[in-house]
Amino acid sequence: MTDVTVFSGALLVVSLVGLAAVLSNRLGDWFPVPAPALFLVCAAAASDVWPALGGVPVTLVERVVTVALVVILFDGGMQIGWRRFRENARAIAWIGVAGTLVTAAALALAAHALFGLDWRIALLLGTALSPTDPAVVFSVLGRRQIGGRSGVLLQGESGANDPVGIALLVVLLGTTSLGGDAIGSVLGEFAVQIVVGAVLGLAGGLGLLWFMRRVPLPTSGLYSLRVLMSVLAIYAATTLAHGSGFLAVLVAGIVIGGQRAPYRAEIARFHSALANLGEIVAFVLLGLTIQVTGSHGVAVGGAWFIGLGLAVLLALVIRPLLVGALTWRIRLSRGERLFVLWTGLKGAVPILLGTFILRAEVPDARRAYEIIFVVVAFSVIVQGSAVPALARRLGVPLETVNLRPWTMNTRFEEEPDSLHRFTVAAGSAADGSSVAELPSDDLWVSVIIRRGRLVTVSADTLLHSGDEVVVLAERAALPQVAALFSSESTGPQPVS
């Protein structure tokens, strides 16, 4: 066969596998099986059947997953947005930082005391398994989104504890002893990484927002690519400055999320698609690097036994007790609190941190990597599959979000300062009022969308909670206009 034929055959296989991975996300509509679980199990099985697939270099895995995680964190930051983060900043920071530290410490203690692992590898293992990944939760929920404050906390916790866990592991790998002086050095370097990452992320996000608004490009497709390249540059520059590049891109995404910018909707969709692809790639690579059966399988070194033990302890003891204590002062209903504690699922970040441990060539690194595989597999398959039923049992509100593949766009050469979009909040002044009864002379209702359909606008048209309304109003009158449609916790959304 010619090189072209071989390449075309390989490309056909890869594209069909990728298409199957994309379609597998539909399973969440029918079965409580997270799509990442399929990627993980199928890739592990494939590497056992065709051992050549398991020859992926660890260096390549680390670099690919690093880029994927940068995109995932930036997209997560944009979904949170500055307004939602500001309202929950203290709770997110507390559970994200303190929750990560206590989880890492408790897992390390369990790995050492119960399973006899050396203190160094136990600390590295506990740190690698401390971050959470609600993307797994959202994949199994399909088109259902978590309502209330618990959804914001889950998303915010994952965004915060990913960079914290990564920074802590990087610092631990750089130290060779665990004495009192070493602990002080670890904490100091960890603090530097977090502070530098937060500061440069804020500066980078503000700079990128200015860049997006003020520097036009010749074609619309370049706007999303510009943001992607800028995000990668923020990560790289922060890492070179000895800060947490992952925290920097998360903060940059939060700063940009929900802000007005040219082609904002297209940019958000582009990065959301890349984040979904990154999640698929990360789980597939983890599966390919693990041998389940054979002379070097995970059962040989006791990885199954240790991994399952740590996974059960983490799900039923460590997170409910320790992280539960940290969330005690956070305003949540009992059902929401239990749901948040159960859904601290593991995902792409432990994969990346496992490759860090392998690359450092510390003693027992391969065994630790296999244990990470078992814990992540248990978390995704067992815990993830129980999420929808648990949400219903605990009374956590699940909102079905219908996709809207059709759009009605109007493009402007300049930013439309007077055009604003609101969602009518239940109990607001606009809820139940007609357009003519809105107590303001400073607005003009131009578009009403109800359950995905356009509504004819007239003076007698009644507004209902959940309606999306596009209005014309001068910026000076925006606070008064926003108060008509919004409750205290909602506000105007950018028109894109």
Side-chain angles (χ1 to χ4, degrees), residues 465-483:
S465 62
D467 287 354
E468 294 181 52
V469 182
V470 179
V471 303
L472 290 171
E474 295 300 325
R475 184 169 290 274
L478 185 58
Q480 292 77 22
V481 173

Side-chain angles (χ1 to χ4, degrees), residues 307-398:
L308 288 175
L310 289 177
V312 171
L313 281 173
L314 181 59
L316 302 181
V317 180
I318 294 174
R319 184 168 172 88
L321 293 183
L322 298 183
V323 180
L326 295 177
T327 64
W328 187 253
R329 295 182 62 86
I330 299 176
R331 288 185 293 104
L332 292 169
S333 68
R334 180 176 176 274
E336 287 180 318
R337 193 180 309 278
L338 292 175
F339 183 77
V340 168
L341 295 176
W342 175 260
T343 49
L345 308 185
K346 307 306 168 187
V349 177
I351 302 170
L352 178 64
L353 298 186
T355 63
F356 286 0
I357 297 173
L358 278 179
R359 285 255 290 159
E361 297 182 348
V362 298
D364 233 4
R366 168 55 63 175
R367 191 183 187 193
Y369 191 64
E370 293 168 349
I371 292 171
I372 290 173
F373 168 83
V374 176
V375 175
V376 171
F378 176 91
S379 179
V380 173
I381 298 172
V382 179
Q383 286 184 264
S385 299
V387 166
L390 185 66
R392 290 190 295 269
R393 184 70 178 268
L394 296 176
V396 174
L398 294 178

Side-chain angles (χ1 to χ4, degrees), residues 214 237 320 402 421:
R214 301 301 179 190
N402 294 317
R421 181 170 64 90

